Amino acid sequence: MDLALLVEQALEQVSGAADENALIQVKASFLGRNGALSSELRGLGKLPKEERAARGGELNVAKKRIEEAVAAQQENLRHASAEQQLTEAQIDVTLPALGLPLGHAHPLTLVENELIALFSGMGFEWVDGPEVETEAYNFDSLNMPSDHPAREMQDTFYVEDGIVLRTHTSPVQIRAMEGRTPPLRVFTTGRVYRHDSSTRHSPMFHQIEGFLVDDRVTFTDLKGTLYAVVRELFGADVKIRFRRSFFPFTEPSGEIDIWRDGKWLEILGCGMVHPNVLKGVGIDPQKFQGYAFGAGIDRIAMLKYGLEPIRVLFENDQRVLNQF
Ligand code: PHE
């Protein structure tokens, strides 16, 4: 075959290859094992000896020219595709930034913050207390006898003998009174634990506890304060009921219900601090009186936002949380 023509064809096809795949095919069709040039090279052996060297030289020159053309075209193609990427991926630096998705406080935290602001505004001091508590603080010092039903293993998580996960925030009353002298106005917020895994309850929930001790505290002070708090939380026109109740650490004791969806719903327990509790922390009940109250923060959040059941608050379902 005419070598010059072969080379001409090869160069034409190489420069016509539109992408790297096409180029690989063209290269194979000339330089590959079954390519046009390779069969010419194989034919060398059949030539008369005196022609072999000259023909061999020509074939090598042809091979080299094709190889160089392939390499050059490969370079062209790479360059072109880089160029294309640069023009297509243009960045408009004047566009506004997308911004980071921001989270926000959990509904329970929102309610807790609202309560903290409310009680701080009334002059109450916020204190913290341990969640792992002694039986003495959680029960005894709160006038709860050793045979009180709340102490049973079915109701209380025992960490070890004499140590419990606090079942309410009331032990914080004792800890706060031990380190202070009246007059005092203190409140706390935090987790409490009860051995109850029914679907409508959670074994862990949150309470707010507040108390005031001074020398002329009456039941009217308690009632007035709590009515103001409930109205602040649920609106001035909320229907409130004050109902008598019993707690070992308050006497008399009461509970507040609010009217919602055709029924009364309990939202907090309260009462005048029992004289035995005051005596236990060295405060003379003849001179001082106090009131105390405790409420479930989760319950307040559920009622405020219409969330139910309580576990909705702990599932962290974005569809729920994003509504706040
Ligand atoms: N500790 C009580 C409870 O968990 C609530 C309470 C607090 C009642 C303070 C009276 C006074 O149910």
Side-chain angles (χ1 to χ4, degrees):
M1 154 166 221
D2 181 352
L3 207 50
L5 190 63
L6 187 101
V7 170
E8 195 183 310
Q9 278 175 1
L11 297 191
E12 199 173 302
Q13 287 183 35
V14 165
S15 60
D19 55 38
E20 293 213 45
N21 276 337
L23 185 62
I24 287 168
Q25 273 174 28
V26 172
K27 185 180 174 188
S29 72
F30 289 97
L31 305 176
R33 192 210 277 268
N34 298 317
L37 204 72
S38 313
S39 50
E40 291 293 325
L41 279 163
R42 271 195 300 276
L44 271 181
K46 290 179 197 128
L47 287 179
K49 234 183 183 161
E50 56 281 11
E51 287 177 28
R52 263 185 224 162
R55 181 69 174 168
E58 282 168 19
L59 285 172
N60 272 330
V61 170
K63 188 179 173 206
K64 217 166 163 223
R65 282 190 66 191
I66 298 172
E67 278 173 351
E68 277 167 10
V70 167
Q73 179 66 0
Q74 194 160 31
E75 196 53 35
N76 285 343
L77 288 174
R78 288 210 181 117
H79 195 76
S81 91
E83 192 87 339
Q84 191 187 358
Q85 267 177 32
L86 282 176
T87 37
E88 277 174 7
Q90 266 187 25
I91 295 170
D92 182 351
V93 293
T94 67
L95 280 178
L98 288 178
L100 295 173
L102 284 184
H104 59 78
H106 188 277
L108 268 178
T109 310
L110 293 176
V111 172
E112 185 180 9
N113 288 345
E114 186 180 347
L115 288 164
I116 290 174
L118 198 56
F119 282 99
S120 304
M122 292 191 295
F124 284 76
E125 172 198 355
W126 186 86
V127 299
D128 204 2
E131 289 173 32
V132 179
E133 189 52 284
T134 63
E135 258 191 288
Y137 275 104
N138 195 79
F139 297 121
D140 299 280
S141 57
L142 289 161
N143 203 33
M144 293 169 87
S146 50
D147 60 354
H148 194 279
R151 293 189 174 213
E152 305 238 341
M153 302 261 276
Q154 302 93 278
D155 296 316
T156 301
F157 289 109
Y158 281 81
V159 176
E160 56 186 64
D161 216 24
I163 308 285
V164 300
L165 295 185
R166 66 178 179 189
T167 59
H168 52 179
T169 39
S170 298
V172 180
Q173 287 187 36
I174 309 301
R175 292 183 176 275
M177 285 192 284
E178 279 175 348
R180 290 172 178 75
T181 47
L184 52 92
R185 262 182 297 189
V186 173
F187 77 114
T188 187
T189 51
R191 297 189 186 94
V192 301
Y193 303 83
R194 288 188 196 168
H195 205 294
D196 180 348
S197 38
S198 72
T199 49
R200 293 187 53 249
H201 296 110
S202 160
M204 183 281 297
F205 56 101
H206 302 77
Q207 283 190 332
I208 176 163
E209 179 102 12
F211 56 100
L212 177 150
V213 182
D214 206 337
D215 62 358
R216 273 168 303 171
V217 184
T218 67
F219 201 75
T220 310
D221 297 317
L222 167 66
K223 229 174 145 174
T225 306
L226 293 181
Y227 270 52
V229 168
V230 173
R231 291 195 175 114
E232 189 65 36
L233 287 174
F234 294 102
D237 51 357
V238 62
K239 216 162 125 190
I240 304 173
R241 175 170 84 173
F242 209 90
R243 183 166 46 79
R244 60 165 300 159
S245 182
F246 174 80
F247 299 102
F249 36 93
T250 48
E251 183 59 33
S253 304
E255 275 174 45
I256 291 184
D257 303 332
I258 62 168
W259 183 256
R260 268 296 161 93
D261 306 325
K263 51 185 180 295
W264 288 109
L265 297 170
E266 174 201 323
I267 56 155
L268 64 81
C270 60
M272 301 304 288
V273 180
H274 197 288
N276 288 351
V277 173
L278 292 175
K279 261 187 247 164
V281 291
I283 294 176
D284 182 355
Q286 302 291 342
K287 285 202 203 130
F288 295 102
Q289 314 81 40
Y291 66 67
F293 54 88
I297 298 179
D298 319 71
R299 205 166 158 78
I300 294 173
M302 285 167 71
L303 289 171
K304 264 178 88 85
Y305 300 130
L307 291 168
E308 216 170 346
I310 190 170
R311 81 181 110 84
V312 164
L313 287 169
F314 307 120
E315 284 171 343
N316 292 330
D317 184 333
Q318 295 289 313
R319 291 167 302 179
V320 174
L321 298 183
N322 284 341
Q323 296 175 46
F324 293 90

PDB file of all heavy atoms in Angstrom, residues 246-275:
ATOM      1  N   PHE A 246     -53.663  17.103  98.370  1.00  0.00           N
ATOM      2  CA  PHE A 246     -52.805  16.702  99.485  1.00  0.00           C
ATOM      3  C   PHE A 246     -51.377  16.435  99.018  1.00  0.00           C
ATOM      4  O   PHE A 246     -51.149  15.734  98.026  1.00  0.00           O
ATOM      5  CB  PHE A 246     -53.338  15.437 100.175  1.00  0.00           C
ATOM      6  CG  PHE A 246     -52.400  14.936 101.222  1.00  0.00           C
ATOM      7  CD1 PHE A 246     -52.376  15.528 102.482  1.00  0.00           C
ATOM      8  CD2 PHE A 246     -51.481  13.919 100.943  1.00  0.00           C
ATOM      9  CE1 PHE A 246     -51.464  15.097 103.443  1.00  0.00           C
ATOM     10  CE2 PHE A 246     -50.574  13.487 101.903  1.00  0.00           C
ATOM     11  CZ  PHE A 246     -50.569  14.076 103.155  1.00  0.00           C
ATOM     12  N   PHE A 247     -50.425  17.038  99.702  1.00  0.00           N
ATOM     13  CA  PHE A 247     -49.007  16.683  99.565  1.00  0.00           C
ATOM     14  C   PHE A 247     -48.449  16.633 100.982  1.00  0.00           C
ATOM     15  O   PHE A 247     -48.812  17.477 101.810  1.00  0.00           O
ATOM     16  CB  PHE A 247     -48.239  17.735  98.753  1.00  0.00           C
ATOM     17  CG  PHE A 247     -48.746  17.895  97.346  1.00  0.00           C
ATOM     18  CD1 PHE A 247     -49.567  18.971  97.011  1.00  0.00           C
ATOM     19  CD2 PHE A 247     -48.423  16.965  96.358  1.00  0.00           C
ATOM     20  CE1 PHE A 247     -50.054  19.109  95.720  1.00  0.00           C
ATOM     21  CE2 PHE A 247     -48.914  17.111  95.058  1.00  0.00           C
ATOM     22  CZ  PHE A 247     -49.725  18.192  94.744  1.00  0.00           C
ATOM     23  N   PRO A 248     -47.575  15.667 101.286  1.00  0.00           N
ATOM     24  CA  PRO A 248     -47.076  15.551 102.666  1.00  0.00           C
ATOM     25  C   PRO A 248     -46.278  16.784 103.099  1.00  0.00           C
ATOM     26  O   PRO A 248     -46.170  17.064 104.289  1.00  0.00           O
ATOM     27  CB  PRO A 248     -46.152  14.320 102.605  1.00  0.00           C
ATOM     28  CG  PRO A 248     -46.514  13.591 101.357  1.00  0.00           C
ATOM     29  CD  PRO A 248     -47.039  14.617 100.409  1.00  0.00           C
ATOM     30  N   PHE A 249     -45.720  17.518 102.118  1.00  0.00           N
ATOM     31  CA  PHE A 249     -44.813  18.627 102.459  1.00  0.00           C
ATOM     32  C   PHE A 249     -45.490  19.986 102.432  1.00  0.00           C
ATOM     33  O   PHE A 249     -44.839  21.006 102.629  1.00  0.00           O
ATOM     34  CB  PHE A 249     -43.583  18.617 101.550  1.00  0.00           C
ATOM     35  CG  PHE A 249     -43.882  18.185 100.125  1.00  0.00           C
ATOM     36  CD1 PHE A 249     -44.175  19.123  99.155  1.00  0.00           C
ATOM     37  CD2 PHE A 249     -43.883  16.840  99.790  1.00  0.00           C
ATOM     38  CE1 PHE A 249     -44.461  18.720  97.857  1.00  0.00           C
ATOM     39  CE2 PHE A 249     -44.169  16.429  98.496  1.00  0.00           C
ATOM     40  CZ  PHE A 249     -44.465  17.361  97.519  1.00  0.00           C
ATOM     41  N   THR A 250     -46.805  20.017 102.168  1.00  0.00           N
ATOM     42  CA  THR A 250     -47.529  21.295 102.247  1.00  0.00           C
ATOM     43  C   THR A 250     -48.835  21.076 103.000  1.00  0.00           C
ATOM     44  O   THR A 250     -49.441  20.010 102.930  1.00  0.00           O
ATOM     45  CB  THR A 250     -47.837  21.858 100.838  1.00  0.00           C
ATOM     46  OG1 THR A 250     -48.390  20.827 100.029  1.00  0.00           O
ATOM     47  CG2 THR A 250     -46.608  22.436 100.172  1.00  0.00           C
ATOM     48  N   GLU A 251     -49.260  22.112 103.728  1.00  0.00           N
ATOM     49  CA  GLU A 251     -50.523  22.029 104.461  1.00  0.00           C
ATOM     50  C   GLU A 251     -51.039  23.436 104.709  1.00  0.00           C
ATOM     51  O   GLU A 251     -50.337  24.209 105.361  1.00  0.00           O
ATOM     52  CB  GLU A 251     -50.312  21.282 105.783  1.00  0.00           C
ATOM     53  CG  GLU A 251     -51.571  21.079 106.597  1.00  0.00           C
ATOM     54  CD  GLU A 251     -52.648  20.286 105.862  1.00  0.00           C
ATOM     55  OE1 GLU A 251     -52.296  19.395 105.063  1.00  0.00           O
ATOM     56  OE2 GLU A 251     -53.839  20.578 106.050  1.00  0.00           O
ATOM     57  N   PRO A 252     -52.184  23.841 104.193  1.00  0.00           N
ATOM     58  CA  PRO A 252     -53.019  23.065 103.263  1.00  0.00           C
ATOM     59  C   PRO A 252     -52.386  22.982 101.878  1.00  0.00           C
ATOM     60  O   PRO A 252     -51.482  23.740 101.563  1.00  0.00           O
ATOM     61  CB  PRO A 252     -54.312  23.879 103.218  1.00  0.00           C
ATOM     62  CG  PRO A 252     -53.891  25.282 103.514  1.00  0.00           C
ATOM     63  CD  PRO A 252     -52.733  25.186 104.457  1.00  0.00           C
ATOM     64  N   SER A 253     -52.900  22.055 101.071  1.00  0.00           N
ATOM     65  CA  SER A 253     -52.387  21.860  99.715  1.00  0.00           C
ATOM     66  C   SER A 253     -53.488  22.104  98.701  1.00  0.00           C
ATOM     67  O   SER A 253     -54.675  21.951  99.018  1.00  0.00           O
ATOM     68  CB  SER A 253     -51.881  20.432  99.523  1.00  0.00           C
ATOM     69  OG  SER A 253     -50.900  20.110 100.488  1.00  0.00           O
ATOM     70  N   GLY A 254     -53.082  22.471  97.520  1.00  0.00           N
ATOM     71  CA  GLY A 254     -54.063  22.691  96.462  1.00  0.00           C
ATOM     72  C   GLY A 254     -53.516  22.313  95.104  1.00  0.00           C
ATOM     73  O   GLY A 254     -52.316  22.031  94.959  1.00  0.00           O
ATOM     74  N   GLU A 255     -54.409  22.273  94.126  1.00  0.00           N
ATOM     75  CA  GLU A 255     -53.972  22.067  92.747  1.00  0.00           C
ATOM     76  C   GLU A 255     -54.711  23.052  91.879  1.00  0.00           C
ATOM     77  O   GLU A 255     -55.839  23.441  92.192  1.00  0.00           O
ATOM     78  CB  GLU A 255     -54.265  20.624  92.287  1.00  0.00           C
ATOM     79  CG  GLU A 255     -53.154  19.662  92.683  1.00  0.00           C
ATOM     80  CD  GLU A 255     -53.468  18.203  92.379  1.00  0.00           C
ATOM     81  OE1 GLU A 255     -53.956  17.915  91.264  1.00  0.00           O
ATOM     82  OE2 GLU A 255     -53.242  17.365  93.269  1.00  0.00           O
ATOM     83  N   ILE A 256     -54.063  23.473  90.809  1.00  0.00           N
ATOM     84  CA  ILE A 256     -54.725  24.380  89.873  1.00  0.00           C
ATOM     85  C   ILE A 256     -55.020  23.630  88.586  1.00  0.00           C
ATOM     86  O   ILE A 256     -54.162  22.913  88.059  1.00  0.00           O
ATOM     87  CB  ILE A 256     -53.852  25.630  89.585  1.00  0.00           C
ATOM     88  CG1 ILE A 256     -53.789  26.504  90.849  1.00  0.00           C
ATOM     89  CG2 ILE A 256     -54.426  26.433  88.420  1.00  0.00           C
ATOM     90  CD1 ILE A 256     -53.035  27.801  90.660  1.00  0.00           C
ATOM     91  N   ASP A 257     -56.258  23.775  88.123  1.00  0.00           N
ATOM     92  CA  ASP A 257     -56.667  23.190  86.846  1.00  0.00           C
ATOM     93  C   ASP A 257     -57.007  24.331  85.896  1.00  0.00           C
ATOM     94  O   ASP A 257     -57.432  25.393  86.334  1.00  0.00           O
ATOM     95  CB  ASP A 257     -57.940  22.345  86.999  1.00  0.00           C
ATOM     96  CG  ASP A 257     -57.797  21.224  88.017  1.00  0.00           C
ATOM     97  OD1 ASP A 257     -56.670  20.750  88.212  1.00  0.00           O
ATOM     98  OD2 ASP A 257     -58.822  20.846  88.620  1.00  0.00           O
ATOM     99  N   ILE A 258     -56.805  24.103  84.611  1.00  0.00           N
ATOM    100  CA  ILE A 258     -57.333  25.072  83.641  1.00  0.00           C
ATOM    101  C   ILE A 258     -58.340  24.356  82.743  1.00  0.00           C
ATOM    102  O   ILE A 258     -58.270  23.138  82.542  1.00  0.00           O
ATOM    103  CB  ILE A 258     -56.226  25.746  82.783  1.00  0.00           C
ATOM    104  CG1 ILE A 258     -55.477  24.727  81.941  1.00  0.00           C
ATOM    105  CG2 ILE A 258     -55.282  26.549  83.662  1.00  0.00           C
ATOM    106  CD1 ILE A 258     -54.590  25.371  80.885  1.00  0.00           C
ATOM    107  N   TRP A 259     -59.272  25.120  82.217  1.00  0.00           N
ATOM    108  CA  TRP A 259     -60.352  24.561  81.375  1.00  0.00           C
ATOM    109  C   TRP A 259     -59.880  24.531  79.934  1.00  0.00           C
ATOM    110  O   TRP A 259     -59.538  25.545  79.346  1.00  0.00           O
ATOM    111  CB  TRP A 259     -61.593  25.446  81.526  1.00  0.00           C
ATOM    112  CG  TRP A 259     -62.798  24.956  80.782  1.00  0.00           C
ATOM    113  CD1 TRP A 259     -63.290  25.455  79.614  1.00  0.00           C
ATOM    114  CD2 TRP A 259     -63.664  23.879  81.168  1.00  0.00           C
ATOM    115  NE1 TRP A 259     -64.406  24.761  79.241  1.00  0.00           N
ATOM    116  CE2 TRP A 259     -64.661  23.789  80.165  1.00  0.00           C
ATOM    117  CE3 TRP A 259     -63.691  22.982  82.247  1.00  0.00           C
ATOM    118  CZ2 TRP A 259     -65.692  22.838  80.214  1.00  0.00           C
ATOM    119  CZ3 TRP A 259     -64.710  22.036  82.288  1.00  0.00           C
ATOM    120  CH2 TRP A 259     -65.688  21.977  81.296  1.00  0.00           C
ATOM    121  N   ARG A 260     -59.820  23.332  79.374  1.00  0.00           N
ATOM    122  CA  ARG A 260     -59.366  23.178  77.993  1.00  0.00           C
ATOM    123  C   ARG A 260     -60.184  22.104  77.290  1.00  0.00           C
ATOM    124  O   ARG A 260     -60.358  21.019  77.835  1.00  0.00           O
ATOM    125  CB  ARG A 260     -57.884  22.718  77.951  1.00  0.00           C
ATOM    126  CG  ARG A 260     -56.862  23.829  77.870  1.00  0.00           C
ATOM    127  CD  ARG A 260     -56.995  24.597  76.574  1.00  0.00           C
ATOM    128  NE  ARG A 260     -56.364  25.904  76.655  1.00  0.00           N
ATOM    129  CZ  ARG A 260     -55.116  26.139  76.277  1.00  0.00           C
ATOM    130  NH1 ARG A 260     -54.383  25.175  75.786  1.00  0.00           N
ATOM    131  NH2 ARG A 260     -54.615  27.345  76.376  1.00  0.00           N
ATOM    132  N   ASP A 261     -60.683  22.417  76.110  1.00  0.00           N
ATOM    133  CA  ASP A 261     -61.414  21.446  75.294  1.00  0.00           C
ATOM    134  C   ASP A 261     -62.473  20.689  76.088  1.00  0.00           C
ATOM    135  O   ASP A 261     -62.536  19.456  76.062  1.00  0.00           O
ATOM    136  CB  ASP A 261     -60.445  20.428  74.660  1.00  0.00           C
ATOM    137  CG  ASP A 261     -59.335  21.121  73.884  1.00  0.00           C
ATOM    138  OD1 ASP A 261     -59.618  22.173  73.277  1.00  0.00           O
ATOM    139  OD2 ASP A 261     -58.194  20.614  73.908  1.00  0.00           O
ATOM    140  N   GLY A 262     -63.264  21.433  76.849  1.00  0.00           N
ATOM    141  CA  GLY A 262     -64.382  20.818  77.547  1.00  0.00           C
ATOM    142  C   GLY A 262     -64.021  20.034  78.796  1.00  0.00           C
ATOM    143  O   GLY A 262     -64.851  19.288  79.318  1.00  0.00           O
ATOM    144  N   LYS A 263     -62.781  20.165  79.282  1.00  0.00           N
ATOM    145  CA  LYS A 263     -62.484  19.478  80.539  1.00  0.00           C
ATOM    146  C   LYS A 263     -61.447  20.244  81.362  1.00  0.00           C
ATOM    147  O   LYS A 263     -60.709  21.073  80.848  1.00  0.00           O
ATOM    148  CB  LYS A 263     -62.025  18.034  80.302  1.00  0.00           C
ATOM    149  CG  LYS A 263     -60.915  17.874  79.290  1.00  0.00           C
ATOM    150  CD  LYS A 263     -60.667  16.381  79.066  1.00  0.00           C
ATOM    151  CE  LYS A 263     -59.554  16.127  78.061  1.00  0.00           C
ATOM    152  NZ  LYS A 263     -59.808  16.574  76.690  1.00  0.00           N
ATOM    153  N   TRP A 264     -61.423  19.940  82.667  1.00  0.00           N
ATOM    154  CA  TRP A 264     -60.439  20.545  83.562  1.00  0.00           C
ATOM    155  C   TRP A 264     -59.144  19.757  83.476  1.00  0.00           C
ATOM    156  O   TRP A 264     -59.149  18.538  83.569  1.00  0.00           O
ATOM    157  CB  TRP A 264     -60.936  20.531  85.009  1.00  0.00           C
ATOM    158  CG  TRP A 264     -62.046  21.497  85.272  1.00  0.00           C
ATOM    159  CD1 TRP A 264     -63.349  21.211  85.509  1.00  0.00           C
ATOM    160  CD2 TRP A 264     -61.930  22.927  85.331  1.00  0.00           C
ATOM    161  NE1 TRP A 264     -64.075  22.362  85.698  1.00  0.00           N
ATOM    162  CE2 TRP A 264     -63.225  23.435  85.600  1.00  0.00           C
ATOM    163  CE3 TRP A 264     -60.874  23.836  85.174  1.00  0.00           C
ATOM    164  CZ2 TRP A 264     -63.489  24.807  85.723  1.00  0.00           C
ATOM    165  CZ3 TRP A 264     -61.138  25.182  85.298  1.00  0.00           C
ATOM    166  CH2 TRP A 264     -62.435  25.665  85.568  1.00  0.00           C
ATOM    167  N   LEU A 265     -58.029  20.453  83.275  1.00  0.00           N
ATOM    168  CA  LEU A 265     -56.728  19.781  83.212  1.00  0.00           C
ATOM    169  C   LEU A 265     -55.830  20.317  84.313  1.00  0.00           C
ATOM    170  O   LEU A 265     -55.640  21.523  84.453  1.00  0.00           O
ATOM    171  CB  LEU A 265     -56.072  20.040  81.844  1.00  0.00           C
ATOM    172  CG  LEU A 265     -56.845  19.488  80.649  1.00  0.00           C
ATOM    173  CD1 LEU A 265     -56.259  19.992  79.350  1.00  0.00           C
ATOM    174  CD2 LEU A 265     -56.832  17.960  80.679  1.00  0.00           C
ATOM    175  N   GLU A 266     -55.284  19.367  85.088  1.00  0.00           N
ATOM    176  CA  GLU A 266     -54.432  19.758  86.207  1.00  0.00           C
ATOM    177  C   GLU A 266     -53.104  20.299  85.685  1.00  0.00           C
ATOM    178  O   GLU A 266     -52.490  19.700  84.802  1.00  0.00           O
ATOM    179  CB  GLU A 266     -54.210  18.490  87.040  1.00  0.00           C
ATOM    180  CG  GLU A 266     -53.254  18.641  88.160  1.00  0.00           C
ATOM    181  CD  GLU A 266     -52.707  17.272  88.582  1.00  0.00           C
ATOM    182  OE1 GLU A 266     -53.483  16.285  88.567  1.00  0.00           O
ATOM    183  OE2 GLU A 266     -51.523  17.198  88.905  1.00  0.00           O
ATOM    184  N   ILE A 267     -52.669  21.460  86.202  1.00  0.00           N
ATOM    185  CA  ILE A 267     -51.353  21.931  85.746  1.00  0.00           C
ATOM    186  C   ILE A 267     -50.333  22.163  86.849  1.00  0.00           C
ATOM    187  O   ILE A 267     -49.146  22.218  86.571  1.00  0.00           O
ATOM    188  CB  ILE A 267     -51.411  23.190  84.859  1.00  0.00           C
ATOM    189  CG1 ILE A 267     -52.131  24.312  85.582  1.00  0.00           C
ATOM    190  CG2 ILE A 267     -52.034  22.904  83.500  1.00  0.00           C
ATOM    191  CD1 ILE A 267     -51.673  25.639  85.016  1.00  0.00           C
ATOM    192  N   LEU A 268     -50.782  22.320  88.094  1.00  0.00           N
ATOM    193  CA  LEU A 268     -49.738  22.428  89.124  1.00  0.00           C
ATOM    194  C   LEU A 268     -50.246  22.069  90.509  1.00  0.00           C
ATOM    195  O   LEU A 268     -51.446  22.108  90.789  1.00  0.00           O
ATOM    196  CB  LEU A 268     -49.085  23.814  89.126  1.00  0.00           C
ATOM    197  CG  LEU A 268     -49.859  25.080  89.459  1.00  0.00           C
ATOM    198  CD1 LEU A 268     -49.991  25.271  90.969  1.00  0.00           C
ATOM    199  CD2 LEU A 268     -49.105  26.281  88.883  1.00  0.00           C
ATOM    200  N   GLY A 269     -49.282  21.705  91.366  1.00  0.00           N
ATOM    201  CA  GLY A 269     -49.566  21.401  92.760  1.00  0.00           C
ATOM    202  C   GLY A 269     -48.914  22.464  93.615  1.00  0.00           C
ATOM    203  O   GLY A 269     -47.879  23.022  93.260  1.00  0.00           O
ATOM    204  N   CYS A 270     -49.535  22.754  94.771  1.00  0.00           N
ATOM    205  CA  CYS A 270     -48.972  23.836  95.591  1.00  0.00           C
ATOM    206  C   CYS A 270     -49.486  23.726  97.025  1.00  0.00           C
ATOM    207  O   CYS A 270     -50.301  22.862  97.357  1.00  0.00           O
ATOM    208  CB  CYS A 270     -49.377  25.181  95.004  1.00  0.00           C
ATOM    209  SG  CYS A 270     -51.168  25.415  94.948  1.00  0.00           S
ATOM    210  N   GLY A 271     -49.035  24.607  97.872  1.00  0.00           N
ATOM    211  CA  GLY A 271     -49.533  24.633  99.245  1.00  0.00           C
ATOM    212  C   GLY A 271     -48.620  25.469 100.123  1.00  0.00           C
ATOM    213  O   GLY A 271     -47.609  26.015  99.665  1.00  0.00           O
ATOM    214  N   MET A 272     -49.013  25.552 101.399  1.00  0.00           N
ATOM    215  CA  MET A 272     -48.174  26.253 102.371  1.00  0.00           C
ATOM    216  C   MET A 272     -47.163  25.245 102.907  1.00  0.00           C
ATOM    217  O   MET A 272     -47.539  24.118 103.275  1.00  0.00           O
ATOM    218  CB  MET A 272     -49.039  26.796 103.524  1.00  0.00           C
ATOM    219  CG  MET A 272     -50.127  27.770 103.074  1.00  0.00           C
ATOM    220  SD  MET A 272     -49.499  29.197 102.147  1.00  0.00           S
ATOM    221  CE  MET A 272     -48.713  30.140 103.453  1.00  0.00           C
ATOM    222  N   VAL A 273     -45.898  25.638 102.953  1.00  0.00           N
ATOM    223  CA  VAL A 273     -44.839  24.713 103.378  1.00  0.00           C
ATOM    224  C   VAL A 273     -45.178  24.147 104.760  1.00  0.00           C
ATOM    225  O   VAL A 273     -45.497  24.887 105.694  1.00  0.00           O
ATOM    226  CB  VAL A 273     -43.458  25.417 103.408  1.00  0.00           C
ATOM    227  CG1 VAL A 273     -42.366  24.439 103.853  1.00  0.00           C
ATOM    228  CG2 VAL A 273     -43.126  25.996 102.031  1.00  0.00           C
ATOM    229  N   HIS A 274     -45.123  22.825 104.870  1.00  0.00           N
ATOM    230  CA  HIS A 274     -45.487  22.142 106.106  1.00  0.00           C
ATOM    231  C   HIS A 274     -44.518  22.536 107.234  1.00  0.00           C
ATOM    232  O   HIS A 274     -43.296  22.586 107.011  1.00  0.00           O
ATOM    233  CB  HIS A 274     -45.430  20.628 105.883  1.00  0.00           C
ATOM    234  CG  HIS A 274     -46.155  19.843 106.933  1.00  0.00           C
ATOM    235  ND1 HIS A 274     -45.667  19.701 108.221  1.00  0.00           N
ATOM    236  CD2 HIS A 274     -47.331  19.159 106.891  1.00  0.00           C
ATOM    237  CE1 HIS A 274     -46.507  18.955 108.924  1.00  0.00           C
ATOM    238  NE2 HIS A 274     -47.534  18.619 108.133  1.00  0.00           N
ATOM    239  N   PRO A 275     -45.046  22.803 108.455  1.00  0.00           N
ATOM    240  CA  PRO A 275     -44.169  23.181 109.573  1.00  0.00           C
ATOM    241  C   PRO A 275     -43.027  22.186 109.802  1.00  0.00           C
ATOM    242  O   PRO A 275     -41.904  22.589 110.129  1.00  0.00           O
ATOM    243  CB  PRO A 275     -45.117  23.203 110.789  1.00  0.00           C
ATOM    244  CG  PRO A 275     -46.483  23.365 110.220  1.00  0.00           C
ATOM    245  CD  PRO A 275     -46.464  22.811 108.826  1.00  0.00           C
TER     246      PRO A 275
END
